Amino acid sequence: FQFLEKSQIKQIQVRSKRHIGEVYFQKKQYDLSLQVFESIIRQDSYSGSVILALEYAAKCAGMLGLQEKKLQYQSILKDFFGVKA
């Protein structure tokens, strides 16, 4: 995925980032996972991956005890996308 993250095609870059974040999450490296998902939220908000990134960011923040950040991501999901996290 790190190789694909350097692709010239933006959608491939974003999807690769998302998969890297998911791998970190599965390995319980929530701090690294959160960094990846926050990067997608900041830099790739146009992408369909942003909803998944917000969901994972909320989960990571919860696992790290960052309740305020978790609530912020859940609020964005609910208010902007109508997704209940």
Side-chain angles (χ1 to χ4, degrees):
F1 293 119
Q2 289 173 331
F3 173 78
L4 292 173
E5 191 178 17
K6 294 174 177 69
S7 170
Q8 297 297 319
I9 301 168
K10 194 68 175 162
Q11 287 295 51
I12 292 174
Q13 290 175 9
V14 175
R15 287 182 188 154
S16 299
K17 262 199 250 186
R18 189 185 80 218
H19 287 297
I20 289 168
E22 290 172 355
V23 169
Y24 284 139
F25 187 85
Q26 290 171 358
K27 291 181 157 209
K28 298 184 181 183
Q29 294 179 322
Y30 302 117
D31 53 340
L32 294 173
S33 182
L34 182 59
Q35 288 177 23
V36 172
F37 290 118
E38 286 181 330
S39 168
I40 293 170
I41 293 165
R42 277 192 315 275
Q43 298 171 358
D44 306 302
S45 59
Y46 64 87
S47 170
S49 293
V50 77
I51 293 174
L52 262 175
L54 285 162
E55 289 173 345
Y56 270 104
K59 290 177 190 177
C60 290
M63 298 303 280
L64 294 168
L66 305 170
Q67 291 305 315
E68 203 169 304
K69 198 173 259 205
K70 175 185 173 183
L71 293 174
Q72 177 187 15
Y73 290 130
Q74 289 176 333
S75 176
I76 293 169
L77 277 166
K78 181 180 171 223
D79 296 343
F80 290 98
F81 299 104
V83 176
K84 186 175 182 179

